[in-house]
């Protein structure tokens, strides 16, 4: 198919904002995976596609071609013990929701074949969090991924050479060419991976605010609408919640620290915002999967599974099945721990008016908890645990949070973080966690 692919003509079309023919987009994706286009041509196309965004039809064709660039997992009717449904977040800071949520929904009878990503830019990734559990292997081959979904109703997998490889190539190049933040490329990236995993339905958690890729509410809503429109063209069911990412989600930011917080939520505790978003998304997933008729009934079912310990039991089983140490559930000190902790204190009395999620995400990367380049390894132990959230009253000297750092001197990071937390005289009105819903 790539034979005859004229990369220069393809580039000229994008540069001059001429619509790509479907066969050209498919030939481009084929060339990406099998050879036939140079990396410098791909990056030129990415910038042209950033400046002249693809329309809906082009986005659909690109998504479909990227999904088919590797194996597309299929589950035969009756092969699984329950209906398939998955969740995808567009990326945030402290966003560990997949960990409690996937286990909770599987404990309620749905099957969740979950393909997750690594941290990108200032945002964290589920795979990095899972890998902080000693022994956990999220890179299941397709056959093992299918078998575990069948047996436990949940498996964690990664985008690999087998699954949506075109996204792997494009994603790494977008990250280093400042071409991540454009709706058509985000839609194609997310949907190609998700729908290669064999799920029939997805609930999208579209983040909005300073820690999101789409900072403005209007842009986030536009992204939610496009995710749903293209999902529909691909014959999949989808719902999207647009949720706040102005301040980090929960209290913990950093891979192992977020696993600890996820276990707390699975034990029926944890920070209120993490528990609330877990339940809100779980309810949507159970309705989308057809396991409950309405969101209220689905929420009660999910609440029972969370507070009754079923979701925690599922977590234990999945961790063990994927080679991880299940003892972390009862003894989180088995997770990697940073050698140093540095308290961050309030310089003045007042109310916390802002915790800038983007600055916090960048601070985690500076500590080694995220990547500057794709080949970097992450330090699973580093991070921050906040003791205060936006709206809280503080006295001078009160503990705002604790920085967990590696051997490197964390003082510059502590300074950057101090700038990320604002204390004012007046209490700010709380922003609702769920800003909008699309179906
Ligand atoms: N998450 C993805 O998988 N892809 C994007 O482009 C952005 C967020």
């Amino acid at each position: 198919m790539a034979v005859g692919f004229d990369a220069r003509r393809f580039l000229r079309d994008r540069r001059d904002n001429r619509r790509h023919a479907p066969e050209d987009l498919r030939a481009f994706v084929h060339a990406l995976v099998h050879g036939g286009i140079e990396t410098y041509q791909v990056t030129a196309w990415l910038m042209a596609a950033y400046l002249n965004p693809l329309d809906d039809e082009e986005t659909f064709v690109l998504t479909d071609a990227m999904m088919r660039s590797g194996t597309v997992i299929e589950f035969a009717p009756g092969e699984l013990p329950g209906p398939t449904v998955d969740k995808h977040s567009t990326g945030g800071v402290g966003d560990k929701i997949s960990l409690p949520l996937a286990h909770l929904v599987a404990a309620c009878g749905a099957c969740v074949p979950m393909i997750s990503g690594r941290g990108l830019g200032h945002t964290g990734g589920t795979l990095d969090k899972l890998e902080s559990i000693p022994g956990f292997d999220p890179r299941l081959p397709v056959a093992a991924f299918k078998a575990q979904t069948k047996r436990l109703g949940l498996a964690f997998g990664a985008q690999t050479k087998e699954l949506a490889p075109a996204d792997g190539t494009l994603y790494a190049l977008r990250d280093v060419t400042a071409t991540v933040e454009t709706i058509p490329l985000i839609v194609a990236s997310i949907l190609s991976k998700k729908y290669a995993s064999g799920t029939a339905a997805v609930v999208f958690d579209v983040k909005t605010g300073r820690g999101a890729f789409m900072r403005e509410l209007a842009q986030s809503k536009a992204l939610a609408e496009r995710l749903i429109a293209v999902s529909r063209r691909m014959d999949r069911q989808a719902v999207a919640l647009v949720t706040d990412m102005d301040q980090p989600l929960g209290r913990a930011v950093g891979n192992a620290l977020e696993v600890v917080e996820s276990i707390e939520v699975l034990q029926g505790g944890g920070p209120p915002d993490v528990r609330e978003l877990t339940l809100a998304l779980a309810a949507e997933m159970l309705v989308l999967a057809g396991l409950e008729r309405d969101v209220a009934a689905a929420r009660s079912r999910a609440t029972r599974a969370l507070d009754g310990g079923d979701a925690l039991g599922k977590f234990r089983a999945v961790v063990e099945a994927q080679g991880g140490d299940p003892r972390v559930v009862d003894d989180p000190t088995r997770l990697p721990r940073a050698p140093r902790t540095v308290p961050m204190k309030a310089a003045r009395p007042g109310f916390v008016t802002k915790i800038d999620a983007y600055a916090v995400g960048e601070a985690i990367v500076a500590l080694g908890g995220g990547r500057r380049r794709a080949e970097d390894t992450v330090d699973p132990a580093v991070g921050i645990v906040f003791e205060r959230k936006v709206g809280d009253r503080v006295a001078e000297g009160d503990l705002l949070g604790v920085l967990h750092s590696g051997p490197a001197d964390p003082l510059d990071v502590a300074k950057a973080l101090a700038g990320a937390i604002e204390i004012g005289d007046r209490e700010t009105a709380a922003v609702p966690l769920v800003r909008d819903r699309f179906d």
Side-chain angles (χ1 to χ4, degrees), residues 154-171:
L154 168 59
F156 288 102
Q159 183 283 313
T160 59
K161 287 201 181 96
E162 267 184 294
L163 280 179
D167 180 54
T169 307
L170 284 185
Y171 204 91

Side-chain angles (χ1 to χ4, degrees), residues 108-355:
C108 291
C111 287
V112 188
M114 187 173 263
I115 301 295
S116 303
R118 299 198 177 279
L120 171 77
H122 66 283
T123 66
T126 301
L127 290 185
D128 293 328
K129 299 179 216 286
L130 287 168
E131 278 182 347
S132 71
I133 301 172
F136 195 102
D137 182 6
R139 299 180 65 84
L140 291 182
V142 166
F145 179 80
K146 283 187 77 173
Q148 187 177 311
T149 306
K150 199 166 160 179
R151 188 165 64 85
L152 293 177
L154 168 59
F156 288 102
Q159 183 283 313
T160 59
K161 287 201 181 96
E162 267 184 294
L163 280 179
D167 180 54
T169 307
L170 284 185
Y171 204 91
L173 294 175
R174 285 168 61 213
D175 196 19
V176 292
T177 54
T179 52
V180 172
E181 299 93 343
T182 172
I183 287 177
L185 297 186
I186 294 178
V187 168
S189 165
I190 291 176
L191 298 189
S192 62
K193 296 193 267 285
K194 279 286 142 177
Y195 295 142
S197 78
T199 190
V202 176
V203 173
F204 296 103
D205 181 4
V206 179
K207 300 291 185 197
T208 192
R210 287 197 55 80
F213 287 122
M214 297 283 126
R215 288 184 166 195
E216 303 300 326
L217 188 57
Q219 280 181 322
S220 306
K221 289 183 182 187
L223 173 57
E225 280 171 342
R226 296 287 284 277
L227 284 166
I228 290 186
V230 177
S231 293
R232 203 156 285 158
R233 285 279 324 258
M234 298 181 82
D235 269 339
R236 306 301 213 281
Q237 298 204 68
V239 165
L241 297 185
V242 177
T243 71
D244 181 59
M245 186 33 71
D246 233 19
Q247 65 173 326
L249 197 54
R251 299 195 179 279
V253 188
N255 295 306
L257 296 168
E258 292 189 44
V259 172
V260 177
E261 192 166 274
S262 302
I263 293 171
E264 286 165 13
V265 174
L266 285 164
Q267 288 166 335
D273 56 346
V274 181
R275 178 179 163 94
E276 171 54 34
L277 191 51
T278 301
L279 287 170
L281 289 165
E284 296 287 355
M285 288 171 76
L286 294 176
V287 173
L288 206 60
L291 288 171
E292 287 290 352
R293 291 234 320 270
D294 61 63
V295 168
R299 198 182 158 104
S300 318
R301 180 163 171 173
T303 305
R304 283 195 302 277
L306 194 57
D307 294 339
D310 294 352
L312 186 67
K314 187 62 80 179
F315 177 76
R316 216 186 287 269
V318 169
V319 167
E320 191 161 15
Q322 295 201 220
D325 181 355
R327 291 173 299 176
V328 299
V329 173
D330 305 304
D331 181 8
T333 61
R334 290 181 176 277
L335 289 162
R337 290 217 289 184
R340 298 173 69 175
T341 52
V342 181
M344 295 182 301
K345 297 199 170 158
R348 51 160 291 190
F351 292 92
V352 178
T353 52
K354 177 172 166 185
I355 303 179

